[in-house]
Amino acid sequence: MPPKNQRSLLPIDLALQGGGSHGAFTWGVLDRLLEEPWLQIVAISGTSAGAMNAAVLADGWTEGGAEGARAALDAYWQRVSRAAAFSPLQRTLVDRMLGRWTLDSSPVFVAMDLMTRVFSPYDLNPRGFNPLRDILAESIDFTRLARSPIKLFITATNVHTGRGRIFRNAEITADVLLASACLPTMFQAVEIDGEPYWDGGFAGNPTITPLVRESEAHDSILVQINPRERPSTPRTAAEILNRLNEISFNSPLMKELRMIALLREVADPGKGEGARWAGMRTHRIMTDLMTDLGYSSKLNAEWEFLTILRTDGRRAAGEFLDAHADDLGHRSTTDIDMLLSEC
């Protein structure tokens, strides 16, 4: 990879998936990308944990550039970990001894999982308490975020219509971010403008289209934390539910990428919006680590676990840059056209 000072400034977009505490992997990816002065992040689409990472980064950038963004992300995840220290959801002693990050054996997690199949969050949490609200209030200046030079596209799912709504910088509040991460079995729907919203992952995880239509960048990097494929067939109840969760939250993304591949195939590269679709270059950063982690680990926010994920994110981003830095600005490194054969 040529020296950083010899590279021309390249505008890029980021598309950040959700996945609870697994979003710390994305934190690591962002931390590594922000070290590259030739990469100019101009727009981010995020859902759930991806939405949190996107908003914290954009706000931190507005205050202090790349280093401000890195510091803001670090502070945000430390706050998440400190809050989780008081949560009843903790690993068992055996899991700690064996180095397992799952909560599957936690009596509180098992009880909570069973209760959510019988009782709704309106029964179990009538006041609608969400510990993330206070964390967001400490982590983000929403007035400053509204004027950030980085365009944000945050997705939440309208409960009544089932459609995704995309919120942009000036519309983003703590409620919008909480809505984007609102798992309906754990939290009450978040009301915005008189409409209830659930997790954006049901509609777009994340939504790619606004990056093509509203950003001047032609390179979009997808940070994917939900495994698309697993080599083995799930057999236990926990494994089956975990795989259902992964398929459900990957499905909107796969459908949208397939649509984009089709539009690229038929778009006129010389005319208006067609030129943007035809000129889109796609890239992806992901990790095999997630195939070893189940759903319950998304609720584990121990600092040691978060730093393991962050370190893996930095590694994955570094390997991506080592392999594809010269491709950025010139060609796609992820072939979304292959998705057309899956229709």
Side-chain angles (χ1 to χ4, degrees), residues 150-184:
I150 299 175
K151 295 180 180 179
L152 294 183
F153 306 102
I154 305 302
T155 303
T157 304
N158 187 301
V159 179
H160 290 166
T161 67
R163 297 175 182 170
R165 175 176 169 182
I166 299 170
F167 296 86
R168 292 161 176 80
N169 294 56
E171 304 170 293
I172 297 172
T173 62
D175 278 342
V176 167
L177 296 178
L178 293 174
S180 184
C182 179
L183 293 174

Side-chain angles (χ1 to χ4, degrees), residues 94-285:
V94 173
D95 287 329
R96 292 176 187 275
M97 291 174 60
L98 296 177
R100 296 189 302 223
W101 299 106
T102 177
L103 297 176
D104 288 347
S105 301
S106 164
V108 175
F109 174 79
V110 173
M112 184 190 76
D113 189 47
L114 290 172
M115 289 178 69
T116 58
R117 301 173 199 278
V118 180
F119 301 101
S120 85
Y122 295 87
D123 301 316
L124 299 174
N125 186 10
R127 298 183 64 183
F129 173 73
N130 189 327
L132 274 177
R133 184 176 296 279
D134 290 339
I135 294 172
L136 291 174
E138 291 182 70
S139 303
I140 300 172
D141 181 332
F142 289 96
T143 301
R144 184 170 58 211
L145 184 65
R147 52 182 172 81
S148 173
I150 299 175
K151 295 180 180 179
L152 294 183
F153 306 102
I154 305 302
T155 303
T157 304
N158 187 301
V159 179
H160 290 166
T161 67
R163 297 175 182 170
R165 175 176 169 182
I166 299 170
F167 296 86
R168 292 161 176 80
N169 294 56
E171 304 170 293
I172 297 172
T173 62
D175 278 342
V176 167
L177 296 178
L178 293 174
S180 184
C182 179
L183 293 174
T185 58
M186 294 183 66
F187 299 106
Q188 296 182 21
V190 180
E191 188 169 301
I192 302 170
D193 299 333
E195 295 286 335
Y197 288 90
W198 280 341
D199 196 297
F202 296 114
N205 193 20
T207 306
I208 309 294
T209 303
L211 296 177
V212 184
R213 288 180 167 170
E214 300 180 40
S215 169
E216 60 269 29
H218 293 283
D219 289 79
S220 295
I221 301 176
L222 167 65
V223 183
Q224 190 167 2
I225 56 179
N226 286 318
R228 188 185 171 204
E229 298 180 2
R230 282 190 179 270
S232 59
T233 302
R235 298 188 182 280
T236 68
E239 290 172 345
I240 291 169
L241 288 172
N242 177 59
R243 190 58 185 148
L244 281 172
N245 177 276
E246 290 173 347
I247 292 172
S248 298
F249 281 99
N250 271 335
S251 180
L253 172 65
M254 292 301 106
K255 288 180 179 178
E256 189 174 16
L257 289 176
R258 193 176 296 121
M259 178 202 71
I260 290 172
L262 180 61
L263 286 172
R264 285 176 52 183
E265 194 172 75
V266 301
D268 185 339
K271 292 184 179 179
E273 189 169 305
R276 294 201 55 78
W277 291 106
M280 178 186 177
R281 294 182 288 268
T282 55
H283 315 275
R284 182 171 64 173
I285 298 175

